[in-house]
Amino acid sequence: MNLDLDDRERAFRDEARAWLAEHVPASPLPNMDTAEGFEAHREWEAVLAAGRWSVVSWPAAYLGRDASLLEWVLFEEEYYRAGGPARVAQNGISLLAPILFEYGTPEQRERYLRPMADGTEIWAQAWSEPEAGSDLAALRATAARDEARGGWVLNGQKTWSSRAAFAHRGFGLFRSDPSARRHKGLTYFLFPLDAEGVTVRPIPKLDGHPGFAEIFFEDVFVPDADVLGAPGDGWRVAMSTAGNERGLSLRAPGRFCAAADRLLTLWKERGAGSAALGERVADAWIAAQAYRLYTFATLARIERGESVGADGSVNKIFWSELDVRLHETALALLGAEAELRGAGAPCDGAWMDGYLFALSGPIYAGTNEIQRNIVAERVLGLPRGDR
Ligand SMILES: Cc1cc2nc3c(=O)[nH]c(=O)nc-3n(C[C@H](O)[C@H](O)[C@H](O)COP(=O)(O)OP(=O)(O)OC[C@H]3O[C@@H](n4cnc5c(N)ncnc54)[C@H](O)[C@@H]3O)c2cc1C
């Protein structure tokens, strides 16, 4: 594969770099899992959208730039290198939007994509339930047909829904045909989080902020216009989202390459004297570069018309374990100072915050144990284990 950029790609990267240098906030925004931080991050989404940098790979009609997958990766590299804030609109943009483009009606695309792109409406993913995480097909929340009103009535509970504490809308799976087998009879719904009958109960993460919420549904009416894909076809629709989440769209390499570069700087400032720590820094930095190159190889395959399929699980295991390693190495370099918070804390406490979040990488988007089963069976062709 030729890794040299062509003129269009170079121009795109340079334009992104210049815009980000001018617009990325000089100091970090407050944590997005607080009411204040959530609003500050929404405002940032609006700034990004005004510059048409919030959804570069989308069509221009929906505030995008029709950018190629490679350009999107280049943008992400520039974004993280410039220290761009975490994206509060991410669940909508990377998990729901691809599904809206593939399965949504023209009306749904018209209604939802632009407010998603400019941060007016923030979406939460409502899939997991107390007894249905890894085994998603065990979900129990129901959707009952309401012919008279032309829609469905939702009941049940979802949990671990990121952003739901402050978000505006949710997308989720419900069992619409209790007589059908597990994966059948599920339907994919879009709904407002302030609808009558919806109760959102925030759950704090390790850092104490309400990064998640439980969502309770009590006779919540959703019209047919907000069914995504065909009724009963929710599993197939949802699995397209799962592929996006585990594969490329959630974790472009720019994020890890930028962290690896920051780790290298930290090592230069603090690491002298420990060869063992130096080796860990080098290993993490090399792994970030390897992930970048693997991503380019994946891009080349997609451009040749091949699908990523179960290889997305290799990606997911790799980026999530790399993220933990990068942060653990930084904490080892900082020693006891890594625990400091507030004024005077090294790097504003960002390595500890990043570490706490990195710990969740092997869990969300499908736990790594399950991803390893997928790799073993579908990529390596090993026999199915006992379960
Ligand atoms: C930071 C974060 C954000 C999240 N955001 C969202 C969100 O926005 N929306 C949403 O719907 N959900 C979200 N989740 C939930 C997430 O998808 C689930 O936690 C995940 O699917 C695992 O499900 P579980 O927690 O029920 O664990 P379980 O399924 O109960 O698994 C427990 C353990 O058993 C292992 N295990 C289970 N089955 C097998 C098997 N067959 N083989 C080997 N090992 C197995 C698992 O790997 C895991 O280690 C989020 C989670 C985190 C941590």
Side-chain angles (χ1 to χ4, degrees), residues 12-13 16-17 19-21 23-25 29 32 41 44-45 47-48 53-54 56 71-90 252 254-255 258 262:
F12 176 89
R13 183 200 57 193
R17 187 176 292 175
W19 188 90
L20 289 163
H23 291 87
V24 166
L29 301 181
M32 73 160 104
H41 281 79
W44 169 243
E45 295 291 330
V47 173
L48 275 173
W53 293 108
S54 73
V56 292
E71 286 169 331
W72 172 72
V73 171
L74 294 175
F75 172 72
E76 295 277 304
E77 285 187 349
E78 294 304 321
Y79 189 82
Y80 286 105
R81 190 175 289 145
R87 300 286 307 272
V88 70
Q90 176 126 318
R255 175 189 180 111
R262 283 200 304 278

Side-chain angles (χ1 to χ4, degrees), residues 240-258:
S240 322
T241 318
N244 286 320
E245 193 172 6
R246 285 171 203 157
L248 274 182
S249 71
L250 194 61
R251 292 293 173 252
R255 175 189 180 111
F256 307 107
C257 290

Side-chain angles (χ1 to χ4, degrees), residues 22-359:
E22 202 178 319
H23 291 87
V24 166
S27 42
L29 301 181
N31 189 315
M32 73 160 104
D33 295 330
T34 61
E36 178 202 10
F38 187 81
E39 285 312 313
H41 281 79
R42 275 182 70 204
E43 281 168 25
W44 169 243
E45 295 291 330
V47 173
L48 275 173
R52 289 208 303 117
W53 293 108
S54 73
V55 285
V56 292
S57 59
W58 291 13
Y62 300 112
L63 300 179
R65 289 175 174 250
D66 289 301
S68 67
L69 211 44
L70 173 59
E71 286 169 331
W72 172 72
V73 171
L74 294 175
F75 172 72
E76 295 277 304
E77 285 187 349
E78 294 304 321
Y79 189 82
Y80 286 105
R81 190 175 289 145
R87 300 286 307 272
V88 70
Q90 176 126 318
N91 278 347
I93 288 171
S94 60
L95 303 181
L96 175 58
I99 306 303
L100 278 170
F101 282 118
E102 195 176 342
Y103 296 93
T105 61
E107 293 74 25
Q108 286 172 335
R109 288 198 280 271
E110 209 46 48
R111 163 70 185 86
Y112 293 125
L113 287 169
R114 289 174 72 95
M116 184 191 296
D118 69 10
T120 309
E121 288 181 342
I122 303 296
W123 289 79
Q125 180 195 32
W127 283 20
S128 304
E129 297 184 9
E131 302 299 329
S134 300
D135 186 12
L136 183 63
L139 66 84
R140 293 196 205 145
T142 58
R145 185 73 195 139
D146 184 335
E147 209 59 67
R149 285 191 284 173
W152 300 80
V153 177
L154 309 184
N155 277 289
Q157 180 191 352
K158 300 287 176 178
T159 190
W160 310 130
S161 189
S162 301
R163 311 283 90 77
F166 305 108
H168 307 95
R169 305 190 63 90
F171 54 95
L173 279 180
F174 291 77
R175 192 164 295 288
S176 51
D177 180 357
S179 65
R181 291 185 49 214
R182 281 161 48 93
H183 297 76
K184 312 280 176 195
L186 301 176
T187 300
Y188 202 119
F189 290 96
L190 310 175
F191 46 85
L193 285 170
D194 62 357
E196 200 182 327
V198 172
T199 305
V200 176
R201 192 184 296 162
I203 310 175
K205 280 191 185 169
L206 272 178
D207 63 9
H209 298 301
F212 303 114
E214 296 173 292
I215 310 174
F216 298 88
F217 298 82
E218 214 175 318
D219 293 333
V220 178
F221 178 72
V222 178
D224 286 332
D226 279 335
V227 172
L228 183 48
D233 198 27
W235 184 257
R236 197 166 62 95
V237 177
M239 285 308 107
S240 322
T241 318
N244 286 320
E245 193 172 6
R246 285 171 203 157
L248 274 182
S249 71
L250 194 61
R251 292 293 173 252
R255 175 189 180 111
F256 307 107
C257 290
D261 286 343
R262 283 200 304 278
L263 182 64
L264 201 57
T265 307
L266 190 65
W267 157 253
K268 286 176 187 159
E269 289 165 7
R270 304 202 167 221
S274 167
L277 270 176
E279 272 177 32
R280 283 173 65 182
V281 172
D283 283 349
W285 192 88
I286 290 167
Q289 301 308 311
Y291 181 58
R292 179 172 187 262
L293 294 176
Y294 186 79
T295 301
F296 284 134
T298 307
L299 275 174
R301 286 175 49 194
I302 293 171
E303 273 165 13
R304 285 198 301 270
E306 295 171 30
S307 73
V308 179
D311 282 4
S313 296
V314 177
N315 250 359
K316 200 268 151 162
I317 294 167
F318 197 85
W319 64 247
S320 56
E321 294 189 350
L322 167 62
D323 206 23
V324 175
R325 230 165 34 242
L326 278 165
H327 285 87
E328 277 176 351
T329 309
L331 298 193
L333 276 167
L334 289 169
E337 279 183 74
E339 310 273 340
L340 291 176
R341 279 288 189 280
C347 312
D348 294 316
W351 285 111
M352 181 56 88
D353 289 345
Y355 172 67
L356 294 180
F357 186 71
L359 289 177

